[in-house]
Amino acid sequence: MFRRTDPPDCTIVWEGRELPARAGESLAVALLAAGITTFRETPVTGAARGPLCLMGACFDCLVQVEEAQNMQACLVPVTPGLRAQMQHGARGFVEDAA
Ligand code: FES
């Protein structure tokens, strides 16, 4: 779907799979360049969603980055070794330990 113009200079881990990326590009760009188009599943129907606007407006690119859910992949810069995965349904709820 997309072709890189600059060669990858690092790797990220998506769903446990190592993928090539460039440090500083957005996570959404890195995933699209690797052929990944489904980033999340909707809470109600489980429909597949992927990035649309690539500028932080549509929220169709929500993923889990490390332990953080509801991260907009188009706004997350790639760092070497970054770990991310699909977001399935709604964001989980973490009870306050206090
Ligand atoms: S692609 Fe639209 S908010 Fe990320």
Side-chain angles (χ1 to χ4, degrees):
M1 177 182 261
F2 296 97
R3 186 167 41 102
R4 288 186 173 282
T5 54
D6 296 322
D9 62 3
C10 67
T11 59
I12 59 173
V13 179
W14 172 253
E15 296 280 321
R17 193 173 119 216
E18 201 166 273
L19 300 176
R22 282 191 66 82
E25 71 185 0
S26 76
L27 175 57
V29 165
L31 294 175
L32 288 171
I36 309 290
T37 56
T38 299
F39 286 31
R40 70 179 182 105
E41 295 171 343
T42 61
V44 176
T45 65
R49 289 286 188 269
L52 179 64
C53 71
L54 293 173
M55 61 182 195
C58 73
F59 288 78
D60 269 341
C61 64
L62 296 179
V63 296
Q64 182 171 337
V65 178
E66 308 292 348
E67 300 302 317
Q69 299 178 338
N70 272 7
M71 299 296 292
Q72 290 169 277
C74 66
L75 301 181
V76 174
V78 162
T79 55
L82 179 143
R83 302 183 75 83
Q85 63 187 49
M86 274 184 62
Q87 182 157 315
H88 301 279
R91 174 183 166 203
F93 178 73
V94 179
E95 285 191 43
D96 188 6

